[in-house]
Amino acid sequence: DERLHHHGSSTVKYGRGSELAYDMAKKAAELKRDVETILLQNQGASAGSDDVSARKTRSILAYIKTNVDKDAGGANPVWTNIPTAVRTDGSLRNWTEVILKSVMLKCYNAGAEPDTIMMPPALKQTFSSFSGVATKTIQQTAVEAAAVIGAVDFYVSDFGTLAAVVNRFMRSRDALFLDFDFCKVAFLRPFFTKPLAVTGDAEKRLLLGEYGLKITNEAALGLATDLQPV
């Protein structure tokens, strides 16, 4: 209920304890989406420069260079210690099960054991038609507290089983093969709020945090790229 009620000099919104807290929660959700989007993009690392440019974390696409199936016109990023370079995209080709198997073979030969494949929505729809896809269904016959009912897609390969995850924030041309034991978000400064100077009646807050993508073993991950749905 957005109706306003006046108490002397103050204004209260029915159904909402604090307008400032509500706005902070919305902005925090926006920042979380921004973080996820940046981590899944093709961005190289940058140390930044005082008063000129901000520091930037490298994204996962600028990191992976070992277990990759790409178009012949594409190129993996070249880096030794700090992944400042980005990958070069090739021409789009159809997303097929042959490409998926190629990445899994590369992962196996490198000693990797990815357990998750992450895809954008359109590629996930194509993936659902692959012959290796199995649906694990949990059926609940009686009503019980905290029961979970649903289905999850898995891909059963020669070198392990992958749980299929869809992600709307990643690029439309990529499928990531992940082992979360080797990749995570690391924080230099966890998100926090800081009061700013009041302007008139306006209260202002700064929501701030510093984070980076931490990959402990690049060869533990895989990538199929330059893909389009069939």
Side-chain angles (χ1 to χ4, degrees), residues 106-160:
K106 292 175 186 290
C107 288
Y108 181 82
N109 288 336
E113 297 179 354
D115 54 21
T116 302
I117 179 170
M118 182 180 291
M119 297 160 285
L123 295 185
K124 173 60 173 64
Q125 288 182 316
T126 297
F127 166 87
S128 295
S129 66
F130 292 174
S131 62
V133 172
T135 300
K136 182 177 181 180
T137 302
I138 302 171
Q139 184 174 359
Q140 186 72 28
T141 56
V143 177
E144 296 179 8
V148 177
I149 303 173
V152 180
D153 284 341
F154 290 87
Y155 183 87
V156 182
S157 79
D158 294 322
F159 310 110

Short mmCIF file of all heavy atoms in Angstrom, two decimals, residues 106-160:
data_model
loop_
_atom_site.label_atom_id
_atom_site.label_comp_id
_atom_site.label_asym_id
_atom_site.label_seq_id
_atom_site.Cartn_x
_atom_site.Cartn_y
_atom_site.Cartn_z
N LYS A 106 38.96 -32.67 -23.27
CA LYS A 106 40.08 -31.78 -22.92
C LYS A 106 40.21 -31.68 -21.40
O LYS A 106 41.34 -31.70 -20.86
CB LYS A 106 39.86 -30.40 -23.54
CG LYS A 106 39.94 -30.35 -25.07
CD LYS A 106 39.58 -28.96 -25.58
CE LYS A 106 39.50 -28.90 -27.08
NZ LYS A 106 40.82 -29.03 -27.73
N CYS A 107 39.09 -31.54 -20.72
CA CYS A 107 39.12 -31.44 -19.26
C CYS A 107 39.71 -32.71 -18.65
O CYS A 107 40.56 -32.65 -17.74
CB CYS A 107 37.72 -31.19 -18.71
SG CYS A 107 37.05 -29.54 -19.03
N TYR A 108 39.27 -33.86 -19.13
CA TYR A 108 39.77 -35.12 -18.58
C TYR A 108 41.27 -35.27 -18.79
O TYR A 108 42.00 -35.66 -17.88
CB TYR A 108 39.02 -36.29 -19.23
CG TYR A 108 39.46 -37.64 -18.71
CD1 TYR A 108 38.95 -38.14 -17.51
CD2 TYR A 108 40.38 -38.40 -19.41
CE1 TYR A 108 39.35 -39.37 -17.02
CE2 TYR A 108 40.80 -39.64 -18.92
CZ TYR A 108 40.28 -40.12 -17.74
OH TYR A 108 40.70 -41.34 -17.26
N ASN A 109 41.74 -34.94 -19.99
CA ASN A 109 43.16 -35.06 -20.30
C ASN A 109 44.00 -34.10 -19.46
O ASN A 109 45.19 -34.36 -19.21
CB ASN A 109 43.41 -34.82 -21.78
CG ASN A 109 42.92 -35.96 -22.64
OD1 ASN A 109 42.80 -37.10 -22.18
ND2 ASN A 109 42.63 -35.68 -23.91
N ALA A 110 43.40 -32.99 -19.02
CA ALA A 110 44.12 -32.02 -18.19
C ALA A 110 43.99 -32.33 -16.70
O ALA A 110 44.53 -31.59 -15.87
CB ALA A 110 43.59 -30.61 -18.48
N GLY A 111 43.28 -33.39 -16.36
CA GLY A 111 43.10 -33.76 -14.97
C GLY A 111 41.92 -33.06 -14.30
O GLY A 111 41.75 -33.16 -13.08
N ALA A 112 41.09 -32.38 -15.08
CA ALA A 112 39.96 -31.64 -14.53
C ALA A 112 38.74 -32.55 -14.38
O ALA A 112 38.57 -33.51 -15.14
CB ALA A 112 39.62 -30.45 -15.42
N GLU A 113 37.87 -32.19 -13.42
CA GLU A 113 36.63 -32.92 -13.20
C GLU A 113 35.48 -31.94 -12.99
O GLU A 113 34.92 -31.85 -11.89
CB GLU A 113 36.76 -33.86 -12.00
CG GLU A 113 37.82 -34.94 -12.16
CD GLU A 113 37.94 -35.84 -10.95
OE1 GLU A 113 37.28 -35.54 -9.93
OE2 GLU A 113 38.68 -36.82 -11.02
N PRO A 114 35.11 -31.17 -14.02
CA PRO A 114 33.99 -30.23 -13.85
C PRO A 114 32.71 -30.98 -13.54
O PRO A 114 32.48 -32.08 -14.03
CB PRO A 114 33.93 -29.52 -15.21
CG PRO A 114 34.55 -30.48 -16.17
CD PRO A 114 35.62 -31.18 -15.40
N ASP A 115 31.87 -30.36 -12.70
CA ASP A 115 30.61 -31.02 -12.34
C ASP A 115 29.39 -30.17 -12.70
O ASP A 115 28.27 -30.58 -12.43
CB ASP A 115 30.59 -31.34 -10.85
CG ASP A 115 30.86 -30.12 -9.97
OD1 ASP A 115 30.68 -28.98 -10.44
OD2 ASP A 115 31.25 -30.31 -8.81
N THR A 116 29.61 -29.00 -13.29
CA THR A 116 28.52 -28.09 -13.64
C THR A 116 28.75 -27.51 -15.02
O THR A 116 29.88 -27.11 -15.35
CB THR A 116 28.41 -26.94 -12.62
OG1 THR A 116 28.21 -27.48 -11.32
CG2 THR A 116 27.25 -26.02 -12.97
N ILE A 117 27.72 -27.46 -15.84
CA ILE A 117 27.77 -26.73 -17.10
C ILE A 117 26.77 -25.59 -17.00
O ILE A 117 25.59 -25.80 -16.71
CB ILE A 117 27.49 -27.63 -18.32
CG1 ILE A 117 27.54 -26.80 -19.61
CG2 ILE A 117 26.18 -28.39 -18.20
CD1 ILE A 117 27.52 -27.64 -20.88
N MET A 118 27.26 -24.36 -17.22
CA MET A 118 26.43 -23.16 -17.10
C MET A 118 26.24 -22.56 -18.48
O MET A 118 27.20 -22.36 -19.23
CB MET A 118 27.10 -22.14 -16.17
CG MET A 118 26.30 -20.88 -15.94
SD MET A 118 27.16 -19.72 -14.83
CE MET A 118 27.07 -20.62 -13.28
N MET A 119 24.98 -22.27 -18.82
CA MET A 119 24.64 -21.80 -20.17
C MET A 119 23.61 -20.67 -20.13
O MET A 119 22.82 -20.61 -19.18
CB MET A 119 24.05 -22.95 -21.01
CG MET A 119 24.98 -24.10 -21.26
SD MET A 119 24.03 -25.59 -21.73
CE MET A 119 23.38 -26.07 -20.12
N PRO A 120 23.60 -19.82 -21.15
CA PRO A 120 22.51 -18.85 -21.28
C PRO A 120 21.23 -19.56 -21.71
O PRO A 120 21.27 -20.72 -22.16
CB PRO A 120 23.02 -17.88 -22.35
CG PRO A 120 23.96 -18.70 -23.17
CD PRO A 120 24.60 -19.67 -22.22
N PRO A 121 20.08 -18.91 -21.61
CA PRO A 121 18.79 -19.60 -21.85
C PRO A 121 18.66 -20.27 -23.21
O PRO A 121 18.21 -21.43 -23.28
CB PRO A 121 17.77 -18.47 -21.68
CG PRO A 121 18.42 -17.50 -20.76
CD PRO A 121 19.88 -17.54 -21.09
N ALA A 122 19.04 -19.59 -24.29
CA ALA A 122 18.84 -20.18 -25.63
C ALA A 122 19.72 -21.41 -25.83
O ALA A 122 19.27 -22.40 -26.43
CB ALA A 122 19.13 -19.13 -26.70
N LEU A 123 20.96 -21.38 -25.34
CA LEU A 123 21.82 -22.55 -25.47
C LEU A 123 21.34 -23.69 -24.59
O LEU A 123 21.51 -24.87 -24.94
CB LEU A 123 23.27 -22.20 -25.12
CG LEU A 123 23.98 -21.20 -26.04
CD1 LEU A 123 25.44 -21.05 -25.64
CD2 LEU A 123 23.87 -21.61 -27.51
N LYS A 124 20.73 -23.35 -23.46
CA LYS A 124 20.18 -24.40 -22.59
C LYS A 124 19.05 -25.15 -23.29
O LYS A 124 18.90 -26.38 -23.15
CB LYS A 124 19.66 -23.78 -21.28
CG LYS A 124 18.91 -24.75 -20.36
CD LYS A 124 19.77 -25.91 -19.94
CE LYS A 124 19.07 -26.77 -18.88
NZ LYS A 124 17.85 -27.40 -19.40
N GLN A 125 18.24 -24.44 -24.06
CA GLN A 125 17.17 -25.10 -24.80
C GLN A 125 17.72 -26.09 -25.81
O GLN A 125 17.19 -27.19 -25.97
CB GLN A 125 16.29 -24.05 -25.49
CG GLN A 125 15.41 -23.26 -24.54
CD GLN A 125 14.52 -22.28 -25.26
OE1 GLN A 125 14.95 -21.57 -26.17
NE2 GLN A 125 13.27 -22.21 -24.85
N THR A 126 18.81 -25.72 -26.50
CA THR A 126 19.45 -26.66 -27.43
C THR A 126 20.05 -27.83 -26.68
O THR A 126 19.92 -28.99 -27.08
CB THR A 126 20.54 -25.94 -28.24
OG1 THR A 126 19.94 -24.91 -29.03
CG2 THR A 126 21.27 -26.92 -29.15
N PHE A 127 20.70 -27.54 -25.57
CA PHE A 127 21.32 -28.58 -24.74
C PHE A 127 20.31 -29.64 -24.32
O PHE A 127 20.63 -30.83 -24.24
CB PHE A 127 21.95 -27.92 -23.51
CG PHE A 127 22.33 -28.86 -22.41
CD1 PHE A 127 23.56 -29.49 -22.39
CD2 PHE A 127 21.45 -29.11 -21.36
CE1 PHE A 127 23.90 -30.36 -21.36
CE2 PHE A 127 21.78 -29.96 -20.32
CZ PHE A 127 23.01 -30.60 -20.33
N SER A 128 19.08 -29.24 -24.06
CA SER A 128 18.06 -30.17 -23.57
C SER A 128 17.75 -31.28 -24.56
O SER A 128 17.17 -32.30 -24.18
CB SER A 128 16.78 -29.40 -23.22
OG SER A 128 17.00 -28.51 -22.15
N SER A 129 18.13 -31.08 -25.82
CA SER A 129 17.87 -32.10 -26.85
C SER A 129 19.05 -33.07 -27.02
O SER A 129 18.94 -34.03 -27.79
CB SER A 129 17.56 -31.44 -28.19
OG SER A 129 18.70 -30.76 -28.70
N PHE A 130 20.15 -32.86 -26.32
CA PHE A 130 21.31 -33.74 -26.46
C PHE A 130 20.98 -35.12 -25.92
O PHE A 130 20.26 -35.28 -24.94
CB PHE A 130 22.52 -33.18 -25.71
CG PHE A 130 23.10 -31.91 -26.31
CD1 PHE A 130 24.12 -31.23 -25.66
CD2 PHE A 130 22.65 -31.41 -27.52
CE1 PHE A 130 24.66 -30.07 -26.19
CE2 PHE A 130 23.18 -30.24 -28.06
CZ PHE A 130 24.19 -29.57 -27.39
N SER A 131 21.56 -36.15 -26.55
CA SER A 131 21.22 -37.53 -26.19
C SER A 131 21.72 -37.91 -24.81
O SER A 131 21.17 -38.81 -24.16
CB SER A 131 21.81 -38.49 -27.23
OG SER A 131 23.23 -38.41 -27.26
N GLY A 132 22.76 -37.23 -24.32
CA GLY A 132 23.32 -37.59 -23.02
C GLY A 132 22.60 -36.97 -21.84
O GLY A 132 22.97 -37.20 -20.69
N VAL A 133 21.57 -36.17 -22.11
CA VAL A 133 20.85 -35.49 -21.04
C VAL A 133 19.90 -36.47 -20.35
O VAL A 133 19.15 -37.19 -21.00
CB VAL A 133 20.06 -34.28 -21.58
CG1 VAL A 133 19.15 -33.71 -20.49
CG2 VAL A 133 21.01 -33.21 -22.07
N ALA A 134 19.97 -36.48 -19.02
CA ALA A 134 19.05 -37.28 -18.22
C ALA A 134 18.37 -36.35 -17.24
O ALA A 134 18.99 -35.42 -16.73
CB ALA A 134 19.79 -38.39 -17.48
N THR A 135 17.10 -36.58 -16.96
CA THR A 135 16.36 -35.75 -16.00
C THR A 135 16.17 -36.54 -14.72
O THR A 135 15.60 -37.63 -14.72
CB THR A 135 14.99 -35.35 -16.58
OG1 THR A 135 15.20 -34.59 -17.77
CG2 THR A 135 14.23 -34.49 -15.57
N LYS A 136 16.68 -35.97 -13.66
CA LYS A 136 16.51 -36.59 -12.34
C LYS A 136 15.28 -35.98 -11.69
O LYS A 136 15.23 -34.78 -11.44
CB LYS A 136 17.73 -36.36 -11.47
CG LYS A 136 17.64 -37.03 -10.10
CD LYS A 136 18.91 -36.81 -9.30
CE LYS A 136 18.82 -37.51 -7.95
NZ LYS A 136 20.06 -37.31 -7.15
N THR A 137 14.28 -36.78 -11.45
CA THR A 137 13.02 -36.30 -10.89
C THR A 137 12.87 -36.76 -9.46
O THR A 137 13.10 -37.92 -9.15
CB THR A 137 11.83 -36.80 -11.73
OG1 THR A 137 11.99 -36.37 -13.08
CG2 THR A 137 10.51 -36.27 -11.17
N ILE A 138 12.47 -35.83 -8.61
CA ILE A 138 12.18 -36.15 -7.21
C ILE A 138 10.67 -36.12 -7.04
O ILE A 138 10.05 -35.08 -7.21
CB ILE A 138 12.85 -35.14 -6.27
CG1 ILE A 138 14.36 -35.12 -6.50
CG2 ILE A 138 12.53 -35.46 -4.82
CD1 ILE A 138 15.08 -34.02 -5.77
N GLN A 139 10.08 -37.24 -6.77
CA GLN A 139 8.63 -37.32 -6.66
C GLN A 139 8.23 -37.46 -5.19
O GLN A 139 8.73 -38.32 -4.47
CB GLN A 139 8.10 -38.51 -7.45
CG GLN A 139 6.56 -38.58 -7.45
CD GLN A 139 6.06 -39.68 -8.36
OE1 GLN A 139 6.85 -40.36 -9.00
NE2 GLN A 139 4.76 -39.85 -8.42
N GLN A 140 7.31 -36.62 -4.77
CA GLN A 140 6.83 -36.63 -3.39
C GLN A 140 5.39 -37.14 -3.41
O GLN A 140 4.51 -36.52 -4.00
CB GLN A 140 6.89 -35.22 -2.79
CG GLN A 140 6.57 -35.16 -1.33
CD GLN A 140 7.68 -35.76 -0.48
OE1 GLN A 140 8.83 -35.76 -0.86
NE2 GLN A 140 7.30 -36.30 0.67
N THR A 141 5.15 -38.29 -2.78
CA THR A 141 3.81 -38.88 -2.80
C THR A 141 2.96 -38.43 -1.63
O THR A 141 1.74 -38.51 -1.68
CB THR A 141 3.91 -40.41 -2.80
OG1 THR A 141 4.66 -40.82 -1.65
CG2 THR A 141 4.61 -40.90 -4.06
N ALA A 142 3.59 -37.96 -0.58
CA ALA A 142 2.84 -37.49 0.59
C ALA A 142 3.27 -36.07 0.92
O ALA A 142 4.40 -35.68 0.68
CB ALA A 142 3.10 -38.42 1.78
N VAL A 143 2.35 -35.32 1.46
CA VAL A 143 2.65 -33.94 1.84
C VAL A 143 3.48 -33.95 3.12
O VAL A 143 3.05 -34.47 4.14
CB VAL A 143 1.35 -33.13 2.05
CG1 VAL A 143 1.68 -31.72 2.52
CG2 VAL A 143 0.55 -33.10 0.76
N GLU A 144 4.68 -33.37 3.03
CA GLU A 144 5.55 -33.30 4.18
C GLU A 144 6.13 -31.89 4.29
O GLU A 144 6.26 -31.18 3.30
CB GLU A 144 6.71 -34.30 4.07
CG GLU A 144 6.26 -35.76 4.06
CD GLU A 144 7.44 -36.71 3.93
OE1 GLU A 144 8.58 -36.22 3.98
OE2 GLU A 144 7.22 -37.91 3.76
N ALA A 145 6.46 -31.49 5.49
CA ALA A 145 7.05 -30.17 5.70
C ALA A 145 8.40 -30.09 5.00
O ALA A 145 9.19 -31.04 5.01
CB ALA A 145 7.21 -29.91 7.19
N ALA A 146 8.65 -28.94 4.38
CA ALA A 146 9.94 -28.65 3.73
C ALA A 146 10.27 -29.62 2.62
O ALA A 146 11.43 -29.87 2.31
CB ALA A 146 11.06 -28.64 4.77
N ALA A 147 9.28 -30.22 1.97
CA ALA A 147 9.52 -31.14 0.86
C ALA A 147 9.86 -30.34 -0.39
O ALA A 147 9.31 -29.28 -0.65
CB ALA A 147 8.28 -31.99 0.60
N VAL A 148 10.82 -30.84 -1.16
CA VAL A 148 11.23 -30.20 -2.41
C VAL A 148 10.79 -31.09 -3.57
O VAL A 148 11.12 -32.27 -3.61
CB VAL A 148 12.76 -29.99 -2.45
CG1 VAL A 148 13.16 -29.40 -3.79
CG2 VAL A 148 13.19 -29.09 -1.31
N ILE A 149 10.03 -30.53 -4.48
CA ILE A 149 9.54 -31.29 -5.63
C ILE A 149 10.01 -30.59 -6.89
O ILE A 149 9.79 -29.40 -7.07
CB ILE A 149 8.01 -31.39 -5.63
CG1 ILE A 149 7.52 -32.01 -4.32
CG2 ILE A 149 7.52 -32.19 -6.83
CD1 ILE A 149 6.03 -31.99 -4.17
N GLY A 150 10.68 -31.31 -7.77
CA GLY A 150 11.14 -30.67 -9.00
C GLY A 150 11.99 -31.63 -9.81
O GLY A 150 12.11 -32.81 -9.50
N ALA A 151 12.60 -31.10 -10.88
CA ALA A 151 13.45 -31.89 -11.75
C ALA A 151 14.69 -31.10 -12.11
O ALA A 151 14.64 -29.88 -12.24
CB ALA A 151 12.69 -32.28 -13.02
N VAL A 152 15.81 -31.80 -12.24
CA VAL A 152 17.08 -31.18 -12.58
C VAL A 152 17.66 -31.92 -13.77
O VAL A 152 17.65 -33.15 -13.81
CB VAL A 152 18.06 -31.23 -11.39
CG1 VAL A 152 19.38 -30.58 -11.75
CG2 VAL A 152 17.45 -30.56 -10.17
N ASP A 153 18.19 -31.17 -14.76
CA ASP A 153 18.83 -31.79 -15.91
C ASP A 153 20.29 -32.11 -15.62
O ASP A 153 21.02 -31.30 -15.05
CB ASP A 153 18.77 -30.86 -17.12
CG ASP A 153 17.38 -30.82 -17.75
OD1 ASP A 153 16.61 -31.76 -17.49
OD2 ASP A 153 17.09 -29.88 -18.50
N PHE A 154 20.70 -33.30 -16.01
CA PHE A 154 22.09 -33.72 -15.89
C PHE A 154 22.55 -34.22 -17.25
O PHE A 154 21.76 -34.75 -18.03
CB PHE A 154 22.25 -34.84 -14.86
CG PHE A 154 22.05 -34.39 -13.44
CD1 PHE A 154 20.78 -34.38 -12.87
CD2 PHE A 154 23.12 -33.99 -12.68
CE1 PHE A 154 20.59 -33.97 -11.57
CE2 PHE A 154 22.94 -33.57 -11.36
CZ PHE A 154 21.68 -33.57 -10.81
N TYR A 155 23.85 -34.05 -17.51
CA TYR A 155 24.43 -34.64 -18.71
C TYR A 155 25.42 -35.71 -18.27
O TYR A 155 26.35 -35.43 -17.51
CB TYR A 155 25.15 -33.60 -19.56
CG TYR A 155 25.69 -34.18 -20.85
CD1 TYR A 155 24.89 -34.26 -21.99
CD2 TYR A 155 26.97 -34.71 -20.91
CE1 TYR A 155 25.36 -34.82 -23.15
CE2 TYR A 155 27.46 -35.28 -22.07
CZ TYR A 155 26.64 -35.34 -23.19
OH TYR A 155 27.11 -35.91 -24.35
N VAL A 156 25.21 -36.92 -18.76
CA VAL A 156 26.06 -38.05 -18.41
C VAL A 156 27.07 -38.26 -19.53
O VAL A 156 26.72 -38.68 -20.63
CB VAL A 156 25.22 -39.33 -18.18
CG1 VAL A 156 26.12 -40.48 -17.76
CG2 VAL A 156 24.15 -39.09 -17.13
N SER A 157 28.33 -37.94 -19.25
CA SER A 157 29.39 -38.06 -20.26
C SER A 157 30.28 -39.25 -19.93
O SER A 157 30.14 -39.90 -18.88
CB SER A 157 30.23 -36.78 -20.31
OG SER A 157 31.16 -36.76 -19.24
N ASP A 158 31.25 -39.53 -20.82
CA ASP A 158 32.21 -40.59 -20.57
C ASP A 158 33.15 -40.25 -19.42
O ASP A 158 33.82 -41.13 -18.88
CB ASP A 158 33.05 -40.85 -21.83
CG ASP A 158 32.22 -41.40 -22.96
OD1 ASP A 158 31.32 -42.21 -22.70
OD2 ASP A 158 32.46 -41.02 -24.13
N PHE A 159 33.21 -38.95 -19.07
CA PHE A 159 34.21 -38.50 -18.09
C PHE A 159 33.57 -37.79 -16.89
O PHE A 159 34.22 -36.99 -16.23
CB PHE A 159 35.22 -37.58 -18.76
CG PHE A 159 35.79 -38.15 -20.02
CD1 PHE A 159 35.46 -37.62 -21.25
CD2 PHE A 159 36.62 -39.26 -19.99
CE1 PHE A 159 35.97 -38.16 -22.43
CE2 PHE A 159 37.13 -39.81 -21.15
CZ PHE A 159 36.81 -39.26 -22.38
N GLY A 160 32.33 -38.09 -16.63
CA GLY A 160 31.67 -37.50 -15.47
C GLY A 160 30.30 -36.95 -15.80
O GLY A 160 29.94 -36.79 -16.97
#
